[in-house]
Amino acid sequence: MQRIGFIVYPGFQVIGLASSTVFEIANIANGAPIYQVDILSEDGGKVQGSAAVAVDSQPFGRRHYDTLIVCGGTEVPKPSPKLAAYLRAKLQSSRRIASICTGAFVLAEAGLLNGRHATTHWLLARELQTRFPTVTVEEDRIFVVDGPIWTSAGMTAGIDLGLSMLEKDAGAELARAVARKLVIFHRRAGGQSQHSSLLELEPKSDRIQAALTYASKNLRNALTVEQLAEAARLSPRQFSRSFRAETGQSPAKAVENLRVEAARLMLEQSAHPIDVVARETGFADRERMRRAFLRAFGQPPRTIRRNAEPLDQ
């Protein structure tokens, strides 16, 4: 039986424990126990969360854990020296160590994310990258697996993390059964976006916004800089300079993001063949769309579509 420990500390967010239900239901659905789940803290006893909820916990000790999961908090947590040392020691003996939401800051402070890829809640991803430059922060991922280290985005992404762990441990069939019992339509893949990439653009002027609106309505066309500049009523040179200054992206990158977003929605919400999706969203062919998906999501279109299928099919 695999032993899983959820690590809490004063101010932890209770929703971080929601993913423990994945392992609880897995035991029931399997017909025999697979997991033993414990709640851990430095000294054990009652630990007050960020809401009006306190939980009982066991103190750190020498007990072996296959998996340790650090919960997040509403504030960015800073681990005590004892917690950081515990995590560093357990990296040598545990199969995997994970974090939910801002728990990534705990792993980073302990040095477990050095040289690794990781994610956290999108609101705090830039802060994580700034404070820990040796970490490659994938700020638009539901969860990231880098060797023995698993990190997830905020809130319900911890459930996706748990389901992915279950699938790896016991297979896709049991993971689907657990998701059904949890009334989850489908398990989101780790590479899926936390939110629309266009939220990052936020153009400041009506002219750049007009160009983006034009692009989103004409994705099937070539969309050259000259066409976008005309929509913005600027010269191509002025447009390119203003666009990058206002959005932080080149026009070509922004158009690719628009196309990828539109293509992802078509794949998830329609039965159109991939060739049709590529054509309708302005990719010259399916191979070009595949490369764009790998850049954006770390997964090809077929995987995105498969992960969008209802689990009870």
Side-chain angles (χ1 to χ4, degrees), residues 7-8 40-44 58-62 80 82-83 86:
I7 296 176
V8 298
L40 307 174
S41 67
E42 283 189 42
D43 301 313
Q58 300 179 29
F60 295 158
R62 296 184 177 181
S80 66
K82 185 175 180 180
L83 173 53
Y86 179 75

Side-chain angles (χ1 to χ4, degrees), residues 8-79:
V8 298
Y9 44 82
F12 77 94
Q13 199 167 41
V14 176
I15 197 172
L17 294 177
S19 59
S20 67
T21 306
V22 170
F23 307 110
E24 175 191 359
I25 301 301
N27 286 341
I28 297 171
N30 187 57
I34 305 172
Y35 301 106
Q36 168 68 47
V37 178
D38 297 333
I39 299 178
L40 307 174
S41 67
E42 283 189 42
D43 301 313
K46 292 277 189 181
V47 179
Q48 181 65 50
S50 60
V53 176
V55 298
D56 281 320
S57 65
Q58 300 179 29
F60 295 158
R62 296 184 177 181
R63 177 175 290 163
H64 171 74
Y65 284 93
D66 177 83
T67 301
L68 289 168
I69 301 175
V70 180
C71 292
T74 52
E75 304 292 333
V76 174
K78 183 175 178 61

Side-chain angles (χ1 to χ4, degrees), residues 210-290:
L212 286 171
T213 300
Y214 174 84
S216 65
K217 292 180 178 179
N218 294 275
L219 290 177
R220 195 174 182 183
N221 300 330
L223 293 176
T224 64
V225 169
E226 288 73 20
Q227 289 174 313
L228 296 175
E230 184 178 350
R233 297 182 180 178
L234 294 168
S235 71
R237 185 174 181 180
Q238 286 178 310
F239 171 74
S240 295
R241 184 169 59 246
S242 298
F243 192 96
R244 186 177 287 278
E246 292 189 27
T247 68
Q249 297 183 14
S250 69
K253 183 62 176 176
V255 167
E256 179 176 287
N257 287 340
L258 279 167
R259 287 187 167 129
V260 163
E261 189 75 16
R264 181 179 64 84
L265 288 173
M266 285 188 70
L267 288 169
E268 292 179 342
Q269 299 175 9
S270 78
H272 293 306
I274 291 178
D275 286 328
V276 172
V277 173
R279 183 170 65 249
E280 291 298 317
T281 53
F283 292 103
D285 52 56
R286 61 189 296 160
E287 176 57 25
R288 186 168 295 182
M289 187 173 79
R290 189 187 73 84

Side-chain angles (χ1 to χ4, degrees), residues 135-169:
V135 181
T136 300
V137 179
E138 304 283 353
E139 63 182 80
D140 199 29
R141 295 289 184 269
I142 295 297
F143 62 86
V144 171
V145 181
D146 190 331
I149 304 297
W150 298 51
T151 53
S152 81
M155 307 301 179
T156 58
I159 296 176
D160 299 289
L161 183 81
L163 286 168
S164 184
M165 287 180 174
L166 173 59
E167 182 175 325
K168 187 173 184 63
D169 294 343

